[in-house]
Amino acid sequence: MSGRVKALFTRAIRVVGRFIVAVAVVGYTVLDELLFPLFHPLIRWLTGLRLFQRIGEWLGRLPSYAALVALGIPFVIIEPMKVVAIWWAGTGHIISGTIALLMAHILSLLVVERIFHAVYQPLMRIEWFAKLLGWLFAIRDRAIEMVKATAAWRSASQWARGLRAWFRRVLAR
């Protein structure tokens, strides 16, 4: 392969890669923007219950690696469900796959995210985990910055705000 062909091939791979990342980030962020406000009152109510406060306090006192296991078990069950749901939708089961993706995302918000917040401090005492999480957050933030600079983001963001306002109006009735 000549140098010019290799450079063009590398550039094409980068463009395709950025497009895939942009679609994934926009899609996931729009889903998150739509679902989190809908479930925030439920999350707030659940975290206000004494039972869930006690569970959160107990999780927060776990040793670091026990906290990692407490987070890891629901994570390895719930997060792959999202990938399966996307695959399912991609193989022609669009409604079922979309419903499965929504359910997995809701479970993630209600279970994994709550556990993550409860065990955050013990997890940050694991040096390799803290570094890995910092690295992952930096990649996420860079991808979000890249996507937010696009017209697709602005359109999707405006669409999500309109849809969220519509949901609020429907729920207020």
Side-chain angles (χ1 to χ4, degrees):
M1 204 184 298
S2 74
R4 181 174 164 85
V5 172
K6 187 175 179 180
L8 286 172
F9 181 74
T10 302
R11 184 166 182 229
I13 293 295
R14 282 190 181 139
V15 167
V16 169
R18 283 186 178 158
F19 176 77
I20 291 169
V21 167
V23 168
V25 169
V26 167
Y28 192 83
T29 304
V30 166
L31 184 62
D32 204 46
E33 288 285 323
L34 288 173
L35 291 179
F36 188 76
L38 293 174
F39 287 96
H40 189 67
L42 175 63
I43 292 168
R44 197 171 46 238
W45 177 75
L46 287 173
T47 56
L49 294 175
R50 187 70 187 134
L51 172 67
F52 286 97
Q53 289 174 354
R54 286 186 178 163
I55 292 170
E57 291 165 1
W58 175 76
L59 287 168
R61 288 192 306 268
L62 287 175
S64 297
Y65 282 94
L68 185 60
V69 170
L71 176 65
I73 290 172
F75 183 85
V76 299
I77 294 169
I78 295 171
E79 295 304 317
M81 288 171 55
K82 294 177 183 177
V83 176
V84 170
I86 291 169
W87 172 80
W88 202 6
T91 58
H93 305 279
I94 295 170
I95 294 172
S96 303
T98 302
I99 291 169
L101 180 61
L102 289 170
M103 295 306 295
H105 199 74
I106 290 166
L107 279 172
S108 180
L109 283 172
L110 295 176
V111 178
V112 176
E113 192 168 312
R114 295 292 92 207
I115 292 173
F116 177 76
H117 288 291
V119 299
Y120 182 79
Q121 290 305 319
L123 290 176
M124 291 303 101
R125 291 192 291 266
I126 304 172
E127 186 178 343
W128 66 265
F129 188 85
K131 286 180 181 178
L132 175 65
L133 199 59
W135 180 74
L136 289 171
F137 284 167
I139 289 174
R140 179 205 60 196
D141 294 345
R142 186 168 178 219
I144 289 173
E145 286 175 19
M146 178 183 76
V147 169
K148 281 185 174 182
T150 66
W153 171 266
R154 290 187 292 279
S155 295
S157 190
Q158 183 178 7
W159 179 80
R161 281 192 301 275
L163 193 55
R164 191 169 49 216
W166 178 80
F167 273 129
R168 284 186 183 140
R169 286 191 304 274
V170 168
L171 293 174
R173 290 183 191 157

